[in-house]
Amino acid sequence: NGDVISFTRTGEVMGEFGRLYEQQYAVALFNKVRFDIEGGGGPQPQLLHRKIPLENKSIFSGSLFQYLEENKKWRNRFFFVPDSYNINYYDNKAAHDRRLHPKGTINCAGYKVLTSIEQYLDLISNSLPAKMGSSPFLKCATQFPLILWHPYARHYYFCVVTEKEQQKWHAVLQDCVRHTNDGLSEDNKVQTPAFTDAVRLYRQAQRNYGTWEMMCGVPSQILSNLVMEGLLPELRELISPRLKGKLYERQKNWMLISDAVYSLVQGQCQAQYEALLQKCEAACSSLEASMRTDMDQIITSKEHVTNKIRAVVLPKAEKLLKVSIQPYISSILDALMEPTSRGFSEVRDVFFRELVDMSKNTLNEGTKETIAQHMEKISMLAFHPVKMQSCYEKVEQLSLEGLQQRFDVSSPSVFVQRAQILMREQMDDAVYTFEQILHQSLESQATEELCKTIQRCQDRVIKKFDYDSSTVRKRFFREALLQIFIPYMLKQLSPSCASELPRFQELIFEDFSRFILVENIFEEVVLHSVMKDIMMAVKEAAVQRRHNLYRDSIVLSNSDPSLHLLGENPSIDWTGEYGGEQEEVDGTGEDRRRMKQVVSMIQVEGSPVLPGESCIEVPGVNDIPEEEEEEQEEEEEKDGDGDGDGDGEESSGCKASPPDQNGSASPKSSENPPDLSNGSVLKEEEAKPEEQAEGGVPLRVETATESASALEEKGEGEDSQPMTVVEEQLPSNQEVSEEELPPPPPSEEVPSGATEVVPESTPEAPSDFPPPPQDDSGFQSPTSEGVEGEEEEEAPSPQPAEEHPEKSVGSAQEAETKTSDSETREQ
């Protein structure tokens, strides 16, 4: 019955959506052709844009413990994140290196990344049928879970051993969600607007106005979410009374049913959408030919109808605008501007600190090879989840509380995600522009001038970044305000205006009726009625120089006329061109030189290799009590009778050993295993904590015997290959039991005063700024004070990083000391 209902519901939704999509496709095509003919657009960006930023790159790889529902155990598996951000997982690293087919692939669109069981229970309590409650049906193997939750699809459960690993993987998984959610290409000027308008009109017909959190992924995923939005309540009523068994079994079965239905719906939506798209594209050429022939007449006819509709709608819209919109524009704009501008300022500062760090190191070793090594790390900075996390966290503070119900804003997450995507694009544009300018300068500069060359390139790029940042943020603020206000206004005006719209359709010639729709004109009239107030509010903020916004009169056109010539150049292969050290890339197997990994490129040398494979014996769900048995089970656990739950609690209470802050210099310090359930041993071989969190290399998880063998082989090969650790991997399905393992050796405490051997340098960049004051003076970092004057035609250069030569020299001396320490350790 569930399959029949899902098939029927999908057919109904896709039928209505298809009708709307065909209409909007013709309108979108007309708008594109008209724009191509008439031109238009705002200020031109100053930074270069990289067309294929992740070519021959992977994002991250490492091992996680994954909960397997089929055998109720936690298995250590190897995960690989390619440039598509679809997560592939394997039984072990060897399976990936041999290019075997992955055990599974996770598309993260629509998921939420959770770091606690409590968060998970809160979400599933709202999605499960009412009588099922929200009791946990799994025990986490450690204190540091990572859960991927989706309202319709399968959930994934992972865990790691330390909090720093959890934070690193949380950043990586959030980046996967962020990227896959952004599945509609802005480059497609016909399909994307036609699709989004058709989805919006469909939901408005169902009286669902406002933002929609599940507008994420590729079209087939969005359409599946659209179907499930109405289908899931029907399934609950039909299926939940028939579910039998214990509580955890009913919970599990319901989620399996939901995932199966969602997969079925997604397959149907994809097939029907592809057929719909082919039908529209087949008629595209004839539509375009007819509209180009009659473009002037179509525009004239549309303007005539627009004037008629405006006369009816505008008085009502202006009354609504004065009472319900204008009083809130300023407060909502403030709520958007502050966290967003904090995020963009943090992007600027992260980029600036990386360049200052490179300048300081160049003072010490002023060679092009040194610069090449640093540029290899900086070139993928925008796609480094851990490095960018501080930027993303700033905008996550965005809150529209108090306004969400009034304006049908389901959640600020829609705006947060959009701002984060724009921040990543700005960072990559700045990095790409810098590397193109620097590469051009290095070809004609002597080695003695390297520091000054870097400084000049840095100043040029920072000035362009400030200008583009202002332009991008102002556009984002305008779009966000429209997304908040327009649905509310349409909801209020539609009941009184909808009945009058059909009579205007008679004013449109039949030949033009595919390109002129009265529903679209009605929305355009409403949009223009509020657009003037929104533009004025954003302009006012720029005139007051709030949050470092530039006035519209400041134009940097032709400020760097030769720069656009570099825009078509590919990304620079710094290592290949200047002979710098090849970065060791974990998780890419035999193809290390061809495909580089983003996260490990920022990693400091000396981190351990990837972990081996093992399996943790963790109790499943059989011993989790029912509601009526909870008290009895708890008493048994206190007496030591509840073996299953006792083990689970013991394993969840385990704590990781202190990190080996001396890296591989002291093999014994890595032999400090934490105790897990049933005496199973998790073997850690940790990198330095800060490097590990930044570098992206997961913990070493292995048996004690395996560790000894790896360390012995490492000692033999240290002279010729100091950076390589040879490891023996367990078979992928081998389970580690307490009988097979030797007793854990006594742990050796690392002195609290121990310091990192090669910590990441944190330059004292002038861009470290305090939180902005309450007087809205802006998020200007010290390097951008006085960025614009009232009469200036372009932004001034930022303060040079060489203002404090004493600090630079001191940092260079520290770098020399750290380098000598590193060489001593390797010897």
Side-chain angles (χ1 to χ4, degrees), residues 451-613:
C451 267
K452 292 182 179 179
T453 299
I454 294 173
Q455 184 65 49
R456 285 195 297 269
C457 296
Q458 168 188 301
D459 292 346
R460 289 172 67 186
V461 174
I462 289 292
K463 181 166 63 174
K464 296 176 184 300
F465 176 91
D466 288 340
Y467 181 83
D468 279 7
S469 169
S470 173
T471 303
V472 169
R473 281 182 290 137
K474 287 191 292 185
R475 184 171 65 245
F476 168 73
F477 297 147
R478 290 192 291 265
E479 292 174 353
L481 289 172
L482 287 174
Q483 281 186 277
I484 292 171
F485 293 137
I486 294 300
Y488 172 78
M489 296 184 71
L490 292 176
K491 185 176 182 179
Q492 301 300 318
L493 295 173
S494 290
S496 60
C497 297
S499 59
E500 300 185 44
L501 293 180
R503 64 187 177 91
F504 295 109
Q505 191 69 38
E506 301 172 359
L507 302 176
I508 303 172
F509 292 115
E510 184 176 354
D511 293 343
F512 305 157
S513 60
R514 296 199 64 180
F515 313 121
I516 306 174
L517 300 177
V518 292
E519 293 86 356
N520 291 60
I521 295 176
F522 167 63
E523 293 190 358
E524 289 176 9
V525 170
V526 173
L527 184 148
H528 287 297
S529 69
V530 71
M531 192 63 183
K532 180 180 177 182
D533 292 282
I534 291 175
M535 295 284 288
M536 286 298 295
V538 176
K539 183 178 180 180
E540 174 99 17
V543 168
Q544 295 177 2
R545 295 192 292 184
R546 295 169 62 187
H547 305 296
N548 203 22
L549 293 176
Y550 286 3
R551 291 177 288 111
D552 293 339
S553 59
I554 295 181
V555 180
L556 295 183
S557 58
N558 298 323
S559 61
D560 205 347
S562 63
L563 182 62
H564 73 279
L565 299 175
L566 303 175
E568 299 299 322
N569 292 349
S571 299
I572 309 298
D573 182 7
W574 293 97
T575 301
E577 188 162 341
Y578 291 98
E581 290 186 17
Q582 176 67 37
E583 192 79 24
E584 290 293 329
V585 179
D586 296 327
T588 54
E590 301 173 358
D591 224 359
R592 291 185 174 183
R593 296 197 175 189
R594 187 182 61 83
M595 179 175 286
K596 299 175 183 177
Q597 186 164 291
V598 171
V599 174
S600 59
M601 288 173 66
I602 312 288
Q603 175 195 345
V604 181
E605 295 179 356
S607 295
V609 293
L610 291 168
E613 286 68 44

Side-chain angles (χ1 to χ4, degrees), residues 221-504:
Q221 291 171 313
I222 297 173
L223 291 172
S224 302
N225 298 335
L226 197 65
V227 173
M228 294 296 290
E229 189 176 30
L231 176 60
L232 200 64
E234 294 183 29
L235 290 178
R236 282 182 183 151
E237 294 180 6
L238 175 68
I239 295 176
S240 60
R242 304 183 184 184
L243 294 175
K244 305 298 180 183
K246 295 182 179 181
L247 176 62
Y248 75 86
E249 291 177 344
R250 298 201 303 273
Q251 290 175 338
K252 178 182 176 181
N253 290 335
W254 168 253
M255 286 188 283
L256 289 174
I257 291 171
S258 176
D259 176 58
V261 171
Y262 185 67
S263 299
L264 180 65
V265 168
Q266 192 167 336
Q268 292 175 296
C269 288
Q270 183 171 357
Q272 295 184 42
Y273 175 72
E274 289 176 355
L276 177 64
L277 192 59
Q278 290 178 359
K279 178 181 177 182
C280 292
E281 289 181 340
C284 178
S285 57
S286 60
L287 282 175
E288 185 171 350
S290 62
M291 73 176 63
R292 286 185 180 275
T293 302
D294 301 324
M295 179 61 72
D296 292 340
Q297 293 90 331
I298 296 174
I299 293 174
T300 302
S301 178
K302 182 179 179 181
E303 290 176 351
H304 175 69
V305 176
T306 300
N307 291 332
K308 296 289 185 181
I309 295 178
R310 184 183 293 116
V312 174
V313 174
L314 195 57
K316 300 177 182 178
E318 289 179 342
K319 182 179 179 180
L320 176 65
L321 186 65
K322 184 176 181 180
V323 175
S324 302
I325 302 297
Q326 289 176 346
Y328 297 95
I329 291 179
S330 178
S331 60
I332 296 179
L333 180 58
D334 287 341
L336 290 168
M337 281 198 300
E338 185 164 334
T340 304
S341 296
R342 281 181 181 272
F344 275 84
S345 294
E346 182 68 11
V347 169
R348 184 187 195 273
D349 294 343
V350 169
F351 175 64
F352 186 81
R353 286 196 294 267
E354 292 288 337
L355 300 189
V356 170
D357 188 24
M358 183 170 69
S359 296
K360 290 180 177 180
N361 283 275
T362 305
L363 282 174
N364 195 27
E365 298 180 19
T367 64
K368 293 183 179 180
E369 289 76 13
T370 304
I371 292 180
Q373 292 176 26
H374 279 277
M375 285 307 301
E376 278 292 332
K377 300 173 183 178
I378 295 175
S379 62
M380 287 290 106
L381 182 60
F383 300 93
H384 192 298
V386 181
K387 290 280 190 180
M388 290 292 293
Q389 186 64 17
S390 63
C391 309
Y392 297 146
E393 287 174 351
K394 301 290 184 184
V395 76
E396 285 173 359
Q397 300 169 10
L398 191 154
S399 173
L400 299 176
E401 193 162 352
L403 300 172
Q404 291 181 217
Q405 292 183 348
R406 171 180 289 274
F407 295 109
D408 292 321
V409 178
S410 60
S411 168
S413 63
V414 174
F415 307 111
V416 169
Q417 178 183 292
R418 178 59 182 162
Q420 290 172 338
I421 293 292
L422 293 173
M423 288 158 56
R424 185 175 67 189
E425 291 177 355
Q426 281 294 105
M427 175 66 90
D428 191 55
D429 290 350
V431 168
Y432 177 60
T433 305
F434 177 79
E435 79 168 10
Q436 292 294 332
I437 294 176
L438 179 62
H439 181 261
Q440 185 185 52
S441 301
L442 289 179
E443 293 178 344
S444 57
Q445 292 289 337
T447 305
E448 293 76 13
E449 302 292 328
L450 288 180
C451 267
K452 292 182 179 179
T453 299
I454 294 173
Q455 184 65 49
R456 285 195 297 269
C457 296
Q458 168 188 301
D459 292 346
R460 289 172 67 186
V461 174
I462 289 292
K463 181 166 63 174
K464 296 176 184 300
F465 176 91
D466 288 340
Y467 181 83
D468 279 7
S469 169
S470 173
T471 303
V472 169
R473 281 182 290 137
K474 287 191 292 185
R475 184 171 65 245
F476 168 73
F477 297 147
R478 290 192 291 265
E479 292 174 353
L481 289 172
L482 287 174
Q483 281 186 277
I484 292 171
F485 293 137
I486 294 300
Y488 172 78
M489 296 184 71
L490 292 176
K491 185 176 182 179
Q492 301 300 318
L493 295 173
S494 290
S496 60
C497 297
S499 59
E500 300 185 44
L501 293 180
R503 64 187 177 91
F504 295 109

Side-chain angles (χ1 to χ4, degrees), residues 61-210:
S61 62
S63 292
L64 283 172
F65 287 104
Q66 181 180 11
Y67 181 71
L68 307 181
E69 297 183 54
E70 55 269 22
N71 58 12
K72 303 169 187 174
K73 292 181 181 179
W74 291 84
R75 174 79 63 180
N76 190 21
R77 282 185 163 169
F78 181 79
F79 289 78
F80 177 73
V81 185
D83 58 355
S84 66
Y85 286 87
N86 288 329
I87 305 172
N88 299 323
Y89 56 92
Y90 303 80
D91 278 331
N92 49 51
K93 181 177 180 294
H96 168 264
D97 292 346
R98 293 198 301 269
R99 303 180 185 276
L100 300 181
H101 193 72
K103 294 285 290 185
T105 299
I106 306 173
N107 183 293
C108 293
Y111 277 89
K112 292 184 185 296
V113 187
L114 312 176
T115 55
S116 73
I117 296 295
E118 291 73 23
Q119 292 175 325
Y120 180 64
L121 294 181
D122 288 342
L123 285 173
I124 65 172
S125 64
N126 296 326
S127 60
L128 293 174
K131 294 182 181 180
M132 290 192 183
S134 59
S135 299
F137 56 89
L138 80 156
K139 296 259 182 178
C140 189
T142 71
Q143 296 179 13
F144 309 107
L146 289 158
I147 301 173
L148 288 175
W149 174 89
H150 194 284
Y152 313 126
R154 173 188 173 185
H155 302 167
Y156 294 89
Y157 314 97
F158 313 106
C159 69
V160 290
V161 182
T162 67
E163 184 178 5
K164 289 181 179 178
E165 284 293 285
Q166 185 189 45
Q167 292 171 353
K168 177 182 60 181
W169 275 103
H170 183 241
V172 171
L173 293 175
Q174 277 192 314
D175 220 32
C176 292
V177 171
R178 189 179 298 114
H179 184 91
T180 51
N181 278 351
D182 188 35
L184 299 177
S185 173
E186 295 182 10
D187 295 333
N188 196 318
K189 304 300 183 183
V190 178
Q191 292 180 18
T192 296
F195 182 85
T196 54
D197 286 344
V199 170
R200 179 176 51 78
L201 290 171
Y202 177 87
R203 297 191 76 247
Q204 288 177 185
Q206 312 298 317
R207 304 298 297 170
N208 292 321
Y209 290 82

